[in-house]
Amino acid sequence: MSSQPSEEEDPYNARIERTGCAQENEDLQLCFYDKKDWRLCKEEMKRFRECFQSNSKNAGSQELKASQEDQNDQS
């Protein structure tokens, strides 16, 4: 009899866990589930983005920062 976990870990959830922003992501997902409109979840999106950007190990976090700086420069 082998001891296998009852569920395999979802690759998406594993990546989110590694960002250190799992709670912020869950809050964002719950907001969208409840409101069905991303525009009504701006605060949750902001918190997730700030968390993600604060961890420089996250793939793409530096690119996201640069993109936002470019947008701010163009304003």
Side-chain angles (χ1 to χ4, degrees), residues 4-62:
Q4 293 179 344
S6 60
E7 291 182 27
E8 284 190 33
E9 187 172 15
D10 177 14
Y12 174 80
N13 289 336
R15 275 182 274 163
I16 292 297
E17 286 292 328
R18 286 192 300 270
T19 68
C21 303
Q23 184 60 55
E24 291 81 356
N25 181 69
E26 183 176 348
D27 294 344
L28 178 59
Q29 296 297 323
L30 289 172
C31 178
F32 179 71
Y33 179 81
D34 290 341
K35 298 179 180 179
K36 308 290 189 250
D37 187 343
W38 287 113
R39 295 170 293 182
L40 300 176
C41 301
K42 290 180 181 178
E43 284 303 311
E44 291 81 359
M45 178 64 79
K46 180 181 175 187
R47 284 194 298 274
F48 178 70
R49 181 182 302 117
E50 288 172 350
C51 178
F52 185 84
Q53 288 176 336
S54 71
N55 185 346
S56 61
K57 295 180 207 170
N58 290 331
S61 64
Q62 296 303 318

Side-chain angles (χ1 to χ4, degrees), residues 70-75:
D70 288 346
Q71 287 177 355
N72 290 338
D73 290 343
Q74 292 174 3
S75 299

